[in-house]
Amino acid sequence: MTNVGFVGAGRMGAPMVRRLVEAGHEVRALGRSVEKRRAVSELGAQPVTDLADVGADADVVIVCVFTDEQVQQVCLESVLLSTMRSGASLVIHTTGSPRTAQTIAAVASGQEIGVVDAPVSGGPHDIAAGHVTLFVSGANDAVERVRPVLASYGDPILHVGPIGTGQGVKLINNTLFAAQIGLLHEAVRLGDRLGIDEPRLLEAIGHGSAASRVASIVGARGSVSAFIEMVGEFVGKDVAVVRKTAAELGSELGLLDDVINAGFQG
């Protein structure tokens, strides 16, 4: 049994907490309101009201909040790290800047806390089923220490390199995802000019040489616009981060940006 502290038991975090509890881990999860503490209890975890209680005596603390800014607030601007014991591990599931993960790791190293960034590819249903993809990065020993905990809901767990590279892989993955949606948007516009019904076009593409995982997912919704409406907030957040990251490197997304704009601004 591992003592796990958890921050962010929401849409993505809740099924993680439930899987951790079902795997036999002792889980304490942050719940600042009565409603959120009740939800944590229903997941089988112990609700706590303060970040200090999340970190105290935890072997592993998992952070699964929505934005990179929230990660910084939790990990760099609060008492969390200072309450964690030497030898404990911090896992960051939130998709954000590689630099944020690297900064947190540098600060945590002074307390001998291992940091692993492990952004998620998949949705709550994948987590609940125990087969969500994790792009994991960090030192080998840090990754191996948390692997048994992550295995409660992650499969595959892909160690892609040193700290920050997990975020990089996730950002590239979501950039390509957004670009493929943009391509499908343009394909549907062409189909409309050719008099082809959109749901039938998407279904047919799924059986042709242009088939892809993204085309299948979008096709199941029957409309590119409906799919963009469903995922736009999440994908847009990650694309904004990768644009900022590229700019910091003196680069840009090039053709990928043009295709993304075709779908999300067209």
Side-chain angles (χ1 to χ4, degrees):
M1 181 189 72
T2 302
N3 290 322
V4 179
F6 204 98
V7 181
R11 175 178 176 271
M12 299 289 282
M16 291 180 182
V17 171
R18 186 180 296 280
R19 294 281 307 189
L20 287 165
V21 171
E22 291 174 349
H25 301 296
E26 189 74 29
V27 183
R28 284 176 296 180
L30 184 67
R32 289 200 168 107
S33 68
V34 172
E35 182 182 75
K36 290 181 179 178
R37 288 194 291 276
R38 184 183 300 115
V40 167
S41 295
E42 290 173 353
L43 294 170
Q46 176 188 349
V48 295
T49 59
D50 193 271
L51 283 169
D53 296 323
V54 174
D57 301 321
D59 301 306
V60 179
V61 171
I62 297 172
V63 176
C64 187
V65 291
F66 186 58
T67 68
D68 192 60
E69 290 73 22
Q70 289 172 336
V71 172
Q72 294 176 38
Q73 291 168 7
V74 169
C75 299
L76 297 174
E77 302 169 16
S78 78
V79 300
L80 179 62
L81 285 178
S82 65
T83 60
M84 292 174 64
R85 62 173 179 78
S86 175
S89 301
L90 175 69
V91 176
I92 304 167
H93 280 318
T94 305
T95 300
S97 168
R99 184 170 294 178
T100 296
Q102 293 162 351
T103 300
I104 293 169
V107 172
S109 66
Q111 298 173 233
E112 298 184 351
I113 295 171
V115 176
V116 171
D117 66 299
V120 173
S121 182
H125 58 291
D126 299 307
I127 297 168
H131 56 64
V132 74
T133 299
L134 300 178
F135 299 128
V136 176
S137 68
N140 289 338
D141 58 341
V143 171
E144 292 311 309
R145 280 199 300 272
V146 301
R147 188 181 290 273
V149 172
L150 299 183
S152 301
Y153 48 84
D155 182 25
I157 300 170
L158 305 172
H159 188 185
V160 299
I163 193 76
T165 55
Q167 297 293 349
V169 169
K170 175 60 187 300
L171 291 172
I172 292 169
N173 176 82
N174 277 26
T175 301
L176 286 171
F177 179 58
Q180 290 180 63
I181 294 171
L183 287 172
L184 285 171
H185 182 271
E186 290 301 288
V188 165
R189 288 181 60 191
L190 175 60
D192 182 63
R193 293 195 295 272
L194 293 171
I196 305 171
D197 179 69
E198 180 178 359
R200 291 180 178 177
L201 174 61
L202 292 172
E203 180 184 6
I205 287 173
H207 295 279
S209 58
S212 68
R213 185 176 181 182
V214 176
S216 296
I217 295 171
V218 175
R221 298 291 298 185
S223 164
V224 176
S225 296
F227 186 76
I228 290 173
E229 184 177 348
M230 180 179 70
V231 304
E233 180 184 8
F234 302 99
V235 176
K237 171 181 71 75
D238 294 349
V239 169
V241 174
V242 78
R243 283 172 173 153
K244 180 180 178 182
T245 302
E248 290 171 350
L249 296 171
S251 183
E252 56 185 25
L253 303 186
L255 181 60
L256 287 172
D257 225 352
D258 296 335
V259 179
I260 291 168
N261 287 336
F264 288 85
Q265 296 180 16

